[in-house]
Amino acid sequence: MMFLSWSRIGVRLPVVLLSLAALTIAACGNDGEDTAVEDERVDEADPTADQVDVNSPFEFDVAAMSYDDLPFAEVLPLEGGEFEIDGEVREIHLGFSQTGFNHPWRVAMLDSMVAEVARFPNVRLTVLDGEVDTLVQSDTVDDLLAGGVDAVIMSPFESDGLVPAANRVMEAGIPLVVLDRDVHTDKSLFIGQSNVELSRALAEVMVDDLGGSGRIVELMGVAGSSAAIDRSAGLQEALAEAPGIEIIAEGDAEFLRDPAVTLMEDWLVRFGEGEIDAVFSHAEESGWGSQIAIGRSDRCGDGIRQYTFDASNAGIQAALDGTFDGDANYSPFIGDVGVRAALMLLRGDEIPGAEPYDQPGERVLLPDLPTVTPENATEVVGLGWGDFEPPPDPCA
Amino acid sequence: MNAQPSSTIEHAADEPAVTSRPRGVVQRVRRVQRSDLTLALNKWGVLIAFIALVVAASLLHERFLTVPNLLNVARQIAIVGVLAVGMTYVILVAGIDLSVGSTLALAAVISADTAVSHGAFAGVVAALVVGAAVGLVNGLGVTVGGVQPFIMTLGMLAAARGLAFMYTDGHPIASTDPAYLEIGSGRTAGIPNPAIILIVLAFLSYIVLRHTVFGRYVYAVGSSEDAARRAGIPTNVIKLCAFVICGFMAGVAGLLYASQLGVGSPVAGEGFELDAIAAVVVGGASLYGGVGTIQGTVLGAGILGVLGNLLNLTGVSPFVQRVFRGALIVVAVMVQRKGGRIK
């Protein structure tokens, strides 16, 4: 039931550890409190357990993911039930190669996928972990092909490095659905959101709040990553229309909390009271880090506004509480769309909304979800990802 | 630095009485061979470099030399400083510990989780125990297992990170216990607690390395393990202790991380091992072992911290900052070694 590249084991310690974890936890239902593995219980408790092979250290909580709450359930809609191809019901085996499971966002994407698979009794899903490494993920794609999947869904770690793996899927003559990050080669369908558009919308909320003039600092994501580049680009696009707003400092906060604390502390020394009007951060973690720095530096009185990305449940709560003035909703819940697209491609359906774009293959661009603000946060409370609490706001 | 350790070997091996004071021998040998200027540069080079950087920073930005900023810097260097103090022991015995960043993460997540379930004190104990336990495994692998420190801790770098992910399912663990957060976020007499903890641990380490038999053995093992063994020093025990202390310090750093940010994250501290090694090396230690001081290490961490602060204050682009940091490490070591005899 599991595809493991044994040649890797013994060389890569993390592979060994994660695989051992996977061997014991795979296809285990989540009872929410007991982490012990009890395989017998799973079969009766979770009707989807036998549909999902998972080489990942995570348990699935299908019940927690209400299908109706998925933000893109309207995109490429499909009726649930036995999925027929040419009037025939047979087992359909989908393979998913994920970038890695090192971030709850990546786990949430899988949750949405599992929720979709659960609607089709004859669809089975195998999930492999790319371990945030181009080479490892490339191997997982080969493992899926070797396992004889009917279609491959991939959320690539790297757009160029996974081109050969994507080509091998296309050469095998089966559908390839690429999620979130594109690969620069032919594919059946790319499904993604635009970081540039979401960032521009977030920046426009900020421009409005600031009345068109102000001085801001930018806490960028990992320098050189596509998300950081696109989020900066969206900000620049919005600021081109708002000449009264000036970026007075920018730094690499790596999407993390601790680098943001240091950067913001130093900027609060560099700029006096009232000189910074807003923080534009590429991730909630960095937003929270800068808020910690503001509290520690006794600068809560400056009323520095916070604009950030992620729309996790914690972030939505922080927007509701007024810590975040804007939180761009870059949703992980796109896995279900990928499953539906793969099934439709297997049946030979025309994909509604698919269009050629500047890369080989076709694309379905997901509608931009609105920026979460203190005003609209009640509408989306609990519909984000991740089950952690927001840190206390030192300025609240 | 590295002044003819071979002569140290002979002295140490010939005269049992000397084995308790191998550093004295090293210094005596140096004194014969070097001019006073060279010696001064070697001894005071880090301090001179640190003062020069602080003066430069004061001139380059008018707000550098303000109390709030200096307190920020003190807190900012505390975590890497504590890691570097632990790393000093391991480097002195001619080892290396690449796992401290991952150990920090493992200690941080377990500590934050324990603080939630069992209170702040348990959270502190958990961090220290986890850190020391990882250090113990490293030390046993090196001494009993006979694995090279680089390889052993490279394995642990991956394994401890993996354990942190397994423990948390990849999620950050928030800790909101006020007493726990006070450890990393609070101040005592106006000084950030992490900075005080760094100073205390550094002072204790200074005493241990300079004024105890154990400390002398550490230098002896690092200068020449063979000679130390022949002189009757339990070299494996000394090395094991060095790794346990290093792991313990990584546990302290994990505690500071989690209690300062209010969250134990499995991705915490990635790459911190390199910052810690850089601080030790900038502080004048030799990766060949036997040479280095705690005060040098703390100043090394200070140099890196002040540079980072200065680059942020003056608004240097984040891309260019990396180049500056890299160049500083090499230049700082070159300045100290200039005129010194390098093998």
Side-chain angles (χ1 to χ4, degrees):
Chain A
M1 81 177 213
M2 201 95 54
F3 303 124
L4 291 176
S5 302
W6 291 102
S7 60
R8 285 208 303 272
I9 289 174
V11 184
R12 294 179 54 94
L13 206 46
V15 178
V16 179
L17 278 171
L18 290 179
S19 304
L20 288 177
L23 281 167
T24 50
I25 303 179
C28 174
N30 184 4
D31 61 2
E33 45 195 276
D34 187 1
T35 51
V37 176
E38 296 169 39
D39 280 329
E40 323 79 57
R41 189 199 58 218
V42 170
D43 294 337
E44 54 197 78
D46 185 347
T48 62
D50 58 343
Q51 286 177 273
V52 186
D53 294 343
V54 181
N55 177 12
S56 101
F58 298 98
E59 300 175 16
F60 293 99
D61 195 351
V62 179
M65 174 80 355
S66 165
Y67 189 78
D68 296 334
D69 289 338
L70 290 173
F72 299 119
E74 311 286 305
V75 179
L76 315 184
L78 268 188
E79 285 287 316
E82 299 282 352
F83 192 78
E84 289 182 20
I85 295 178
D86 300 332
E88 181 196 355
V89 174
R90 61 172 179 92
E91 185 186 80
I92 299 171
H93 188 182
L94 303 179
F96 175 43
S97 168
Q98 174 64 296
T99 287
F101 292 101
N102 63 329
H103 193 286
W105 195 89
R106 294 273 163 199
V107 183
M109 187 194 290
L110 185 55
D111 287 341
S112 65
M113 193 171 277
V114 171
E116 183 65 59
V117 170
R119 297 172 69 227
F120 301 98
N122 63 325
V123 174
R124 189 158 74 88
L125 178 68
T126 295
V127 182
L128 295 186
D129 180 357
E131 295 174 18
V132 207
D133 183 288
T134 305
L135 194 61
V136 175
Q137 188 173 18
S138 183
D139 288 350
T140 65
V141 172
D142 291 330
D143 290 346
L144 288 174
L145 291 175
V149 295
D150 296 303
V152 170
I153 305 169
M154 168 164 70
S155 184
F157 172 52
E158 221 249 316
S159 297
D160 290 312
L162 285 153
V163 163
N167 289 341
R168 288 196 287 275
V169 177
M170 294 303 281
E171 281 159 17
I174 63 174
L176 170 65
V177 177
V178 179
L179 292 182
D180 179 47
R181 197 173 290 156
D182 205 358
V183 284
H184 297 150
T185 186
D186 197 23
K187 81 277 306 181
S188 310
L189 196 63
F190 167 62
I191 299 169
Q193 303 161 91
S194 168
N195 261 312
V196 180
E197 293 302 317
L198 285 165
S199 178
R200 191 171 65 188
L202 175 69
E204 283 167 359
V205 171
M206 175 179 75
V207 170
D208 275 356
D209 286 353
L210 295 178
S213 74
R215 291 152 59 94
I216 67 165
V217 295
E218 184 181 6
L219 291 166
M220 298 190 291
V222 173
S225 69
S226 57
I229 291 168
D230 288 353
R231 288 169 189 190
S232 280
L235 173 64
Q236 296 293 348
E237 278 184 21
L239 295 194
E241 314 276 308
I245 300 212
E246 185 194 353
I247 302 176
I248 55 175
E250 55 185 19
D252 184 359
E254 304 167 36
F255 297 122
L256 297 176
R257 198 177 294 190
D258 58 308
V261 176
T262 303
L263 283 165
M264 193 66 192
E265 280 179 348
D266 290 348
W267 289 339
L268 288 168
V269 169
R270 180 171 155 204
F271 303 106
E273 271 174 41
E275 287 183 46
I276 301 174
D277 295 304
V279 176
F280 189 94
S281 54
H282 289 189
E284 284 168 1
E285 282 293 319
S286 303
W288 279 313
S290 65
Q291 193 70 8
I292 288 175
I294 291 169
R296 273 200 202 136
S297 306
D298 284 332
R299 296 284 285 276
C300 290
D302 286 25
I304 298 171
R305 290 170 174 272
Q306 289 279 2
Y307 300 88
T308 191
F309 282 82
D310 281 344
S312 71
N313 281 319
I316 292 167
Q317 185 61 45
L320 201 61
D321 297 341
T323 305
F324 290 150
D325 299 273
D327 191 352
N329 197 345
Y330 191 77
S331 177
F333 300 123
I334 58 176
D336 57 316
V337 190
V339 169
R340 292 196 296 275
L343 292 176
M344 292 169 82
L345 286 165
L346 280 170
R347 196 165 61 184
D349 294 2
E350 185 150 331
I351 306 289
E355 54 185 7
Y357 65 123
D358 58 356
Q359 290 289 331
E362 293 200 315
R363 169 178 72 176
V364 170
L365 197 54
L366 295 168
D368 295 331
L369 298 174
T371 300
V372 180
T373 62
E375 291 75 38
N376 68 16
T378 45
E379 297 161 25
V380 285
V381 143
L383 301 187
W385 52 271
D387 58 358
F388 45 95
E389 293 287 309
D393 182 350
C395 296
Chain B
M1 318 279 146
N2 296 329
Q4 303 254 338
S6 59
S7 56
T8 319
I9 299 170
E10 284 145 25
H11 282 274
D14 291 346
E15 309 168 46
V18 173
T19 53
S20 61
R21 305 189 59 83
R23 283 189 65 246
V25 177
V26 173
Q27 284 172 349
R28 235 174 288 145
V29 173
R30 262 197 220 134
R31 225 165 270 146
V32 175
Q33 292 178 340
R34 296 185 182 189
S35 71
D36 289 347
L37 177 70
T38 310
L39 196 67
L41 203 57
N42 271 318
K43 193 165 179 188
W44 302 106
V46 201
L47 187 59
I48 294 167
F50 180 73
I51 293 172
L53 186 61
V54 168
V55 169
S58 313
L59 296 175
L60 284 168
H61 201 278
E62 73 279 7
R63 287 191 187 150
F64 173 79
L65 214 55
T66 58
V67 172
N69 188 55
L70 294 180
L71 291 179
N72 281 348
V73 176
R75 186 178 43 235
Q76 288 165 9
I77 66 174
I79 288 179
V80 168
V82 169
L83 289 177
V85 166
M87 186 72 75
T88 306
Y89 287 86
V90 172
I91 286 180
L92 279 176
V93 297
I96 194 91
D97 189 345
L98 300 176
S99 69
V100 292
S102 301
T103 308
L104 179 156
L106 183 61
V109 295
I110 294 179
S111 172
D113 194 35
T114 311
V116 171
S117 54
H118 294 89
F121 182 73
V124 173
V125 173
L128 305 184
V129 169
V130 167
V134 173
L136 182 67
V137 174
N138 280 336
L140 288 174
V142 169
T143 55
V144 180
V147 185
Q148 286 174 341
F150 186 98
I151 305 297
M152 181 64 215
T153 59
L154 184 65
M156 186 59 80
L157 169 120
R161 181 74 60 192
L163 289 171
F165 276 117
M166 285 167 64
Y167 188 84
T168 60
D169 268 10
H171 295 51
I173 296 180
S175 185
T176 49
D177 185 301
Y180 184 74
L181 296 182
E182 184 67 15
I183 301 166
S185 315
R187 294 173 179 222
T188 305
I191 299 176
N193 290 340
I196 294 175
I197 290 171
L198 169 62
I199 291 164
V200 169
L201 291 175
F203 181 73
L204 289 176
S205 291
Y206 172 82
I207 300 289
V208 165
L209 285 175
R210 184 128 185 149
H211 296 293
T212 67
V213 174
F214 171 75
R216 289 171 199 140
Y217 283 1
V218 166
Y219 281 95
V221 170
S223 294
S224 167
E225 195 178 339
D226 273 350
R229 192 182 300 117
R230 274 186 269 140
I233 296 175
T235 53
N236 273 352
V237 175
I238 301 297
K239 283 158 75 179
L240 184 66
C241 288
F243 277 100
V244 171
I245 293 171
C246 187
F248 175 86
M249 295 291 181
V252 174
L255 169 66
L256 292 178
Y257 187 101
S259 60
Q260 185 174 139
L261 298 174
V263 67
S265 163
V267 296
E270 273 179 350
F272 280 22
E273 58 279 349
L274 298 182
D275 292 338
I277 293 168
V280 176
V281 171
V282 168
S286 161
L287 288 179
Y288 293 108
V291 175
T293 61
I294 289 294
Q295 60 272 36
T297 293
V298 173
L299 285 172
I303 287 173
L304 297 173
V306 168
L307 180 79
N309 177 253
L310 177 63
L311 294 173
N312 285 342
L313 287 183
T314 49
V316 173
S317 137
F319 304 138
V320 181
Q321 287 199 11
R322 291 163 184 257
V323 181
F324 269 100
R325 292 212 174 94
L328 175 99
I329 294 171
V330 178
V331 170
V333 173
M334 272 166 59
V335 167
Q336 292 170 56
R337 301 280 155 98
K338 192 161 185 176
R341 284 162 196 273
I342 300 176
K343 276 204 294 192

